[in-house]
């Protein structure tokens, strides 16, 4: 052919439709059978099977050190799996993730990712087989499964692994093929084994009977499965769905705030995804009542999301919205598609167990046959050796008189009636084996082999015996590697249906505005009673904490202000105050110091509803009085008076213009003046003069009363240790004390007797009162009314507080 001549073109006319069909079918076959679907026997896709098998060949056992994941990926890709290293490493990572598989097959060291982040590169992570993977490879050297050539026919690989436990049901699987997909949830190992054993003993068992052992999936990260109808459908037909919910508890995230604490999420849902959806829902007004979301998840304590709630919102309503608009409730669609005898099939629970048991019976039968053959072969050699030991001189003579090995072999067979294998084995032996001691060893080994052969033949001769071996091995695996169920199953629940944003906007997530009462005892216990009518309870015998300092009738949507001696008001929503169901529970509630977060020397003086018309009056140690208008800022804490250095409040109360203010000082002076003589001021003001104090004296009490009130004072020695000197107490009617003007001196309210130089306690109020010590212990005394300047009567215990029933 000259340079000017062109080669003849070879053009083939191909029908496009037929070519597309053939190519698509070939591609579909490859994806379905060699990539995307697991085998129903060992529950593994080809890539997973090749990884586990190759790591076993590399000796990466649990008792060996970890090796780089890149090394494993390279070995698998170069010898068995002719695809990209990325696909191999992704499969390797999945088998090492405890949040993906119920029983991980790879023991990973390093960053193998989380539900929100991917893993580190293969060059950074290290792996070895887990103990569960040893079960998958168990018996590979005993001819229990068939091998096939690898992709270049230079090596062989197993068609399926022996799988000493039902991996497909235990760990589940997911994959998308061509025209079909599989999605199987994980289950509990102990439950699956129990169902498999039951089915082996009772081949006619129904799915309903098997569900007594496997009631539903058991997800690695726990959670709650709501409703089992879809699970039952999947166990019957191979297709179904179920809903999973996060495990949430309502807890006090601080002394005064409630929150939703999430410790478990639905399968394959990460905390970052939930947080993102919560923030999105709050911004779009889909979620109500949420103030903040804090992720406290760590490696030590596991998952913990704290969703803080705004004051006054019903936690259950907020949780319902979270289930509707975030992945805290998720759906899982079950599609049990797996390869059975090389063909895709949709399998129910019984079918999956049956396929596995058939495979396992085949493995045990082949293993038993292999062991029987090896032991019979060994016994045959032992018989020959025993003949040689008993006739050692003749054997040596035969060998010495032979010119060649073949001649010696032939003479040994003829003289001692040996087989060719026995004769060959004797010729290969070292002479030291042919001793009397070796004879004892050989006879012991022969006896043991004969016993084992009898047992192996018994197993092969009886189906029941073969079943017993399978059952005992499965039970041993479950006992050693199984654990308790993590996922809670709830059979019936109300389905959470989608809700529009407009409907959410009209939804009231706040607590119902129902009547309530807030109670503060004189010993500092704060509690809430959800009732509009709290009966007065006076028992025949008093109890600790039974004296009430203040009771506020309010509603569950209101705010209560707690006034302290430092001139500070702590705002608390009524719904956040600990509730008690029994009004007679005098010791119920929370300690004020802890609940309000008070400082070391800070004391609670009063509580009031922070309404638009509620005013407050306060008196200080240095004799200042102040009335405040109802102008309460929208803050959790705020100041109500500008105190001078060294000054503090000694009393706080609500008063109208018809009431009277009372000051009592430690030098036994009492001043009574009209409340309307003090004009209301703003919160930043310092107040006005209330009582003129003598040098060195200070006020010990301030309050607002009417003409029917009584006055109680108690005096003792100022040099005595606090709480040790009870002193004397006196009761007088308020009418005994003359009305005077504001900013004047008082009149004597208590005459000191011997060793008394101070009034350490004073109180004015309702004649029906209850006295108690500082710790709430009841104090009983019967005081007759006396003149205002009379001395007191001795009392047994120091007065700490006075309140009502």
């Amino acid at each position: 052919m000259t340079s000017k001549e062109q080669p003849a073109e070879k053009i083939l006319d191909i029908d496009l439709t037929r070519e597309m069909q053939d190519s698509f079918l070939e591609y579909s076959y490859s994806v379905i059978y060699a990539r995307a679907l697991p085998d129903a026997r060992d529950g593994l896709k080809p890539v997973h099977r090749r990884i586990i098998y190759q790591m076993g060949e590399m000796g990466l056992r649990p008792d060996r050190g970890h090796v780089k994941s890149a090394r494993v990926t390279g070995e698998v890709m170069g010898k068995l799996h002719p695809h990209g290293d990325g696909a191999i490493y992704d499969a390797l990572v999945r088998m090492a993730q405890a949040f993906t598989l119920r029983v991980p097959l790879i023991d990973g060291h390093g960053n193998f990712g989380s539900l929100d982040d991917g893993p580190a590169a293969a060059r950074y992570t290290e792996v070895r087989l887990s103990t569960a993977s040893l079960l998958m490879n168990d018996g590979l050297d005993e001819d229990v499964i068939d091998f096939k050539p690898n992709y270049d026919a230079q090596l062989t690989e197993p068609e399926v692994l022996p799988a000493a436990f039902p991996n497909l049901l235990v760990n589940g699987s997911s994959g998308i093929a061509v025209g079909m997909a599989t999605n199987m949830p994980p289950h509990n190992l102990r439950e699956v084994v129990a169902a498999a054993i039951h089915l082996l003993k009772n081949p006619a068992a129904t799915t309903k009977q098997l569900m007594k052992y496997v009631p539903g999936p058991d997800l690695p990260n726990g959670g709650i499965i709501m409703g089992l109808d879809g699970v039952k459908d999947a166990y019957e037909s191979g297709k179904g769905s179920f809903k999973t919910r996060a495990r949430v508890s309502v807890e006090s995230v601080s002394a005064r705030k409630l929150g939703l604490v999430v410790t478990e999420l639905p399968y394959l849902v990460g905390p970052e995804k939930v947080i993102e959806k919560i923030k999105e829902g709050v911004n779009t007004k889909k979620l109500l009542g949420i103030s903040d979301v804090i992720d406290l998840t760590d490696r030590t304590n596991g998952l913990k999301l704290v969703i803080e709630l705004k004051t006054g919102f019903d936690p259950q309503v907020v949780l319902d919205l979270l289930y509707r608009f975030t992945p805290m409730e998720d759906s899982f669609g079950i599609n049990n598609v797996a390869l059975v005898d090389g063909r895709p099939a949709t399998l129910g629970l019984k079918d999956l167990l049956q396929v596995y048991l058939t495979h396992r019976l085949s493995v045990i039968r082949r293993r038993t046959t292999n062991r029987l053959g090896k032991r019979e072969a060994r016994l045959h050699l032992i018989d020959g050796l025993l003949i040689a030991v008993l006739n050692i001189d003749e054997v040596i003579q035969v060998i010495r008189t032979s010119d060649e090995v073949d001649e010696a072999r032939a003479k040994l067979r003829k003289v001692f009636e040996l087989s060719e294998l026995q004769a060959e084995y004797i010729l290969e032996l070292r002479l030291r084996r042919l001793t009397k001691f070796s004879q004892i060893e050989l006879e012991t080994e022969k006896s043991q082999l004969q016993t084992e052969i009898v047992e192996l033949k018994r197993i092969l001769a009886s189906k029941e015996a073969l079943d017993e071996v399978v059952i005992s091995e499965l039970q041993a695996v479950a006992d050693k590697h199984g654990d308790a169920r993590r996922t809670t199953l709830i059979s019936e629940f109300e389905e959470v249906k989608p809700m529009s944003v407009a409907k959410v906007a009209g939804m009231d997530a706040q607590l119902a505005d129902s009547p309530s009462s807030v109670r503060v005892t004189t010993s500092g216990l704060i509690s809430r009673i959800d009732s509009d009518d709290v009966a007065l309870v006076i028992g025949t015998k008093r109890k600790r904490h039974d004296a009430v300092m203040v009771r506020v009738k309010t509603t569950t949507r209101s705010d209560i202000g707690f006034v302290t001696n430092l001139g500070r008001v702590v705002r608390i929503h009524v719904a956040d105050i600990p509730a008690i169901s029994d009004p007679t529970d005098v010791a119920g509630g929370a300690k004020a110091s802890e609940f309000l977060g008070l400082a070391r020397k800070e004391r609670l003086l009063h509580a009031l509803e922070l309404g638009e018309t509620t005013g407050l009056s306060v008196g200080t140690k240095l004799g200042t009085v102040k009335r405040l208008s109802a102008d309460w800022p929208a803050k959790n804490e705020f100041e109500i008076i500008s105190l001078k250095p060294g000054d503090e409040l000694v009393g706080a109360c609500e008063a109208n213009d018809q009431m009277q203010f009372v000051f009592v000082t430690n030098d036994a002076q009492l001043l009574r003046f009209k409340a309307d003589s003090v004009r209301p001021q703003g919160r930043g003001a310092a107040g006005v003069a209330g009582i003129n104090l003598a040098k060195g004296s200070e006020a010990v009490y301030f309050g607002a009363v009417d003409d029917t009130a009584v006055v109680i004072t108690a005096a003792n020695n100022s040099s005595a240790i606090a709480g040790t000197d009870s002193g004397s107490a006196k009761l007088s009617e308020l009418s005994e004390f003359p009305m005077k003007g504001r900013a004047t001196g008082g009149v004597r309210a208590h005459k000191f007797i011997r060793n008394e130089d101070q009034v350490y306690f004073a109180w004015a109020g309702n004649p029906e009162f209850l006295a108690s010590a500082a710790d709430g212990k009841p104090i009983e005394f019967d005081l007759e009314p006396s003149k205002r300047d009379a001395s007191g009567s001795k009392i047994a215990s120091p007065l700490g507080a006075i309140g009502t029933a």
Side-chain angles (χ1 to χ4, degrees):
M1 182 177 63
T2 64
S3 60
K4 294 182 179 181
E5 293 179 349
Q6 298 293 330
E9 294 183 354
K10 185 177 181 180
I11 299 175
L12 297 177
D13 291 329
I14 298 175
D15 182 67
L16 182 60
T17 302
R18 184 176 182 82
E19 179 65 22
M20 289 292 291
Q21 288 177 345
D22 293 344
S23 298
F24 185 75
L25 286 174
E26 185 176 347
Y27 167 73
S28 302
Y29 183 89
S30 173
V31 172
I32 292 172
Y33 295 96
R35 300 185 73 171
L37 298 183
D39 193 297
R41 295 170 292 178
D42 62 4
L44 298 173
K45 300 176 186 179
V47 63
H48 300 120
R49 186 179 302 115
R50 288 162 179 166
I51 290 172
I52 293 175
Y53 170 71
Q54 189 59 42
M55 289 181 68
E57 292 295 294
M58 295 169 67
L60 304 180
R61 299 172 56 84
D63 54 354
R64 307 281 180 85
H66 295 79
V67 302
K68 289 291 185 181
S69 300
R71 178 180 167 191
V72 174
T73 302
E75 286 282 318
V76 174
M77 181 173 60
K79 294 182 177 180
L80 303 177
H81 198 68
H83 300 283
D85 58 342
I88 299 173
Y89 184 55
D90 287 345
L92 181 69
V93 166
R94 185 182 185 277
M95 289 192 291
Q97 293 174 335
F99 54 82
T100 300
L101 301 188
R102 191 62 177 80
V103 179
L105 301 177
I106 300 296
D107 178 10
H109 180 71
N111 178 16
F112 280 83
S114 66
L115 289 166
D116 298 302
D117 297 312
R123 61 183 177 274
Y124 299 121
T125 60
E126 297 177 343
V127 292
R128 65 184 177 190
L129 290 176
S130 69
T131 53
S133 287
L134 295 184
L135 298 173
M136 298 298 293
N137 281 337
D138 185 38
L140 277 175
D141 57 345
E142 296 186 277
D143 190 32
V144 294
I145 47 91
D146 295 330
F147 281 74
K148 63 181 181 181
N150 70 333
Y151 64 89
D152 60 3
Q154 294 186 17
L155 301 170
T156 59
E157 60 176 307
E159 291 184 353
V160 65
L161 293 184
F165 70 96
N167 177 62
L168 185 57
L169 272 168
V170 171
N171 281 325
S173 183
S174 64
I176 300 176
V178 177
M180 63 184 68
T182 184
N183 198 33
M184 304 176 65
H187 291 78
N188 185 273
L189 175 59
R190 291 177 181 172
E191 296 175 354
V192 173
V193 167
I197 292 174
H198 179 76
L199 182 59
L200 195 58
K201 293 180 178 179
N202 305 277
T206 63
T207 302
K208 184 177 181 180
Q209 292 171 336
L210 294 176
M211 284 189 67
K212 293 180 179 179
Y213 300 95
V214 184
D218 187 22
L219 309 175
N221 52 336
I224 304 171
I225 293 180
M226 307 297 296
L228 299 179
D229 291 340
V231 174
K232 293 176 183 177
D233 293 340
Y235 287 168
E236 286 283 0
S237 64
K239 291 187 177 182
S241 66
F242 61 86
K243 290 184 179 294
T244 57
R245 281 184 177 179
R247 193 178 300 277
V248 185
S249 60
V250 180
E251 299 180 13
S252 296
V253 296
S254 66
R256 308 190 299 269
K257 183 171 288 189
L258 288 177
L260 302 174
V261 179
V262 183
T263 53
E264 296 174 7
L265 287 172
Y267 186 43
L268 300 182
V269 173
E272 290 185 11
K273 183 179 180 181
V274 173
I275 293 173
E276 180 183 348
K277 287 294 183 180
I278 290 176
K279 291 180 178 178
E280 179 183 324
V282 171
N283 293 333
T284 58
K285 308 300 182 183
K286 291 181 179 179
L287 299 178
L288 307 174
I290 298 175
S291 62
D292 195 9
V293 183
I294 304 172
D295 187 2
L296 301 179
T297 303
D298 58 36
R299 292 180 180 270
T300 304
N301 302 311
L303 174 70
K304 187 174 183 180
L305 284 181
V306 179
I307 304 172
E308 294 186 356
L309 302 181
K310 293 180 180 178
T311 298
F313 282 82
D314 189 337
Q316 294 302 323
V317 177
V318 177
L319 183 58
D320 180 66
L321 293 174
L322 288 168
Y323 285 145
R324 294 175 189 270
F325 295 109
T326 73
M328 286 176 58
E329 177 174 292
D330 199 13
S331 180
F332 188 98
I334 302 176
N335 191 25
N336 295 335
V337 178
L339 297 177
V340 180
D341 295 330
R343 294 177 177 272
T346 303
L347 308 172
L349 176 62
K350 183 176 180 179
D351 299 327
L352 288 167
L353 291 172
Q354 191 63 63
V355 171
Y356 172 75
L357 289 173
T358 301
H359 168 62
R360 195 61 192 164
L361 286 167
S362 173
V363 168
I364 300 300
R365 185 181 295 108
R366 291 181 61 166
R367 186 187 69 188
T368 306
T369 302
N370 179 271
R371 291 178 178 178
L372 177 60
K374 288 182 177 179
R375 281 155 180 75
E376 288 179 338
R378 177 63 181 169
L379 181 60
H380 182 64
L381 295 177
I382 294 296
D383 288 338
L385 282 176
L386 286 172
I387 293 173
V389 170
L390 294 173
N391 302 277
I392 183 63
D393 295 333
E394 290 84 347
V395 170
I396 294 174
Q397 183 65 28
V398 169
I399 295 174
R400 291 187 62 183
T401 58
S402 301
D403 295 331
E404 294 181 355
V405 174
D406 292 340
E407 182 183 351
R409 184 186 302 113
K411 287 182 178 180
L412 286 174
R413 293 186 62 185
K414 182 178 180 181
V415 172
F416 300 106
E417 298 181 353
L418 300 175
S419 68
E420 185 173 352
L421 285 175
Q422 290 174 325
E424 183 66 30
Y425 191 67
I426 292 171
L427 288 173
E428 295 292 335
L429 276 179
R430 295 182 180 181
L431 287 176
R432 67 182 182 185
R433 290 293 306 276
L434 304 178
T435 62
K436 289 183 179 180
F437 182 72
S438 294
Q439 180 182 352
I440 296 174
E441 289 181 343
L442 291 173
E443 288 176 346
T444 303
E445 185 178 358
K446 178 180 179 179
S447 176
Q448 183 178 352
L449 286 171
Q450 288 174 336
T451 303
E452 292 177 357
I453 289 172
V454 170
E455 175 62 19
L456 293 172
K457 287 182 177 180
R458 184 189 70 83
I459 293 173
L460 291 174
S462 169
K463 179 183 181 302
E464 290 74 16
L466 194 64
D467 290 348
E468 287 177 5
V469 175
V470 174
I471 290 172
S472 62
E473 292 188 0
L474 282 174
Q475 191 61 57
V477 170
D479 293 341
K480 182 177 180 180
H481 301 279
D483 57 7
R485 166 173 281 276
R486 300 175 187 173
T487 301
T488 302
L489 305 176
I490 298 179
S491 59
E492 297 179 1
F493 81 112
E494 182 180 352
E495 183 178 359
V496 178
K497 298 179 179 179
M499 183 184 293
S500 64
V501 179
K503 189 173 182 180
V504 172
M507 183 176 180
D508 191 0
Q510 289 186 309
L511 293 167
D513 195 15
S514 56
S516 182
S517 292
V518 175
R519 183 178 70 186
V520 182
T521 67
T522 55
S523 54
L525 295 179
I526 301 174
S527 59
R528 182 184 92 240
I529 305 171
D530 292 330
S531 171
D532 59 345
D533 184 18
V534 180
L536 188 67
V537 180
I538 303 178
T540 57
K541 185 177 181 181
R542 292 187 56 191
K543 302 178 182 179
R544 188 184 292 268
H545 312 295
D546 64 352
V548 177
M549 179 175 69
V550 61
R551 182 183 293 106
V552 183
K553 285 192 174 184
T554 180
T555 64
T556 51
R557 288 189 180 178
S558 301
D559 287 342
I560 300 296
F562 293 91
V563 186
T564 75
N565 64 317
L566 299 185
R568 193 167 66 99
V569 172
V570 181
R571 178 193 290 268
I572 302 293
H573 195 277
V574 172
D576 294 334
I577 297 174
I580 57 174
S581 56
D582 183 7
T584 63
D585 180 14
V586 294
K591 291 183 178 179
S593 57
E594 299 175 359
F595 183 71
L596 302 176
L598 302 184
R600 184 178 179 182
K601 294 184 178 181
E602 193 171 12
R603 295 178 290 107
L604 177 61
L605 297 179
H606 188 64
L608 73 160
E609 184 180 65
L610 297 180
E612 296 179 355
T613 60
T614 307
L616 180 66
S617 300
V618 296
T620 76
K621 183 171 68 174
L622 298 183
T624 300
V625 63
K626 179 179 180 181
R627 292 180 69 184
L628 292 98
S629 55
D631 180 22
W632 313 118
K635 297 180 179 179
N636 292 332
E637 299 177 4
F638 52 89
E639 304 289 337
I640 56 173
I641 187 173
S642 177
L643 291 172
K644 298 178 182 178
D647 199 4
E648 64 178 72
L649 301 187
V650 293
C653 56
E654 299 160 62
N656 55 43
D657 290 343
Q658 286 71 43
M659 301 185 77
Q660 305 160 29
F661 287 142
V662 174
F663 269 104
V664 180
T665 66
N666 61 350
D667 61 349
Q669 298 295 307
L670 183 149
L671 176 64
R672 170 188 176 201
F673 60 94
K674 292 184 177 180
D676 59 6
S677 64
V678 182
R679 63 179 180 83
Q681 293 179 306
R683 291 181 296 105
V688 296
I691 182 173
N692 287 337
L693 299 173
K695 185 177 181 181
S697 65
E698 58 187 35
V700 295
Y701 173 79
F702 169 80
V705 295
D706 56 27
D707 290 330
T708 62
V710 295
V711 178
I712 293 178
T713 53
N716 67 0
N717 192 298
S718 60
S719 61
I721 300 175
T724 61
D725 185 4
S726 303
S728 64
K730 180 182 75 69
L731 181 148
S732 304
E733 294 182 355
L734 184 65
S735 58
E736 288 279 328
F737 298 88
M739 183 80 71
K740 300 183 69 175
R742 178 182 64 81
T744 61
V747 296
R748 189 166 70 173
H750 194 113
K751 182 180 179 181
F752 295 143
I753 58 178
R754 185 178 180 181
N755 294 327
E756 292 181 348
D757 61 359
Q758 69 165 0
V759 170
Y760 72 90
F761 177 85
W763 176 84
N766 195 312
E768 299 292 336
F769 62 86
L770 297 178
S772 62
D775 62 353
K777 183 179 179 180
I779 295 178
E780 301 284 358
F781 56 77
D782 186 14
L783 297 176
E784 294 293 333
S786 59
K787 294 183 179 180
R788 65 173 179 83
D789 58 349
S791 58
S793 302
K794 284 291 183 179
I795 55 177
S797 301
L799 274 173
I802 290 181
T804 59

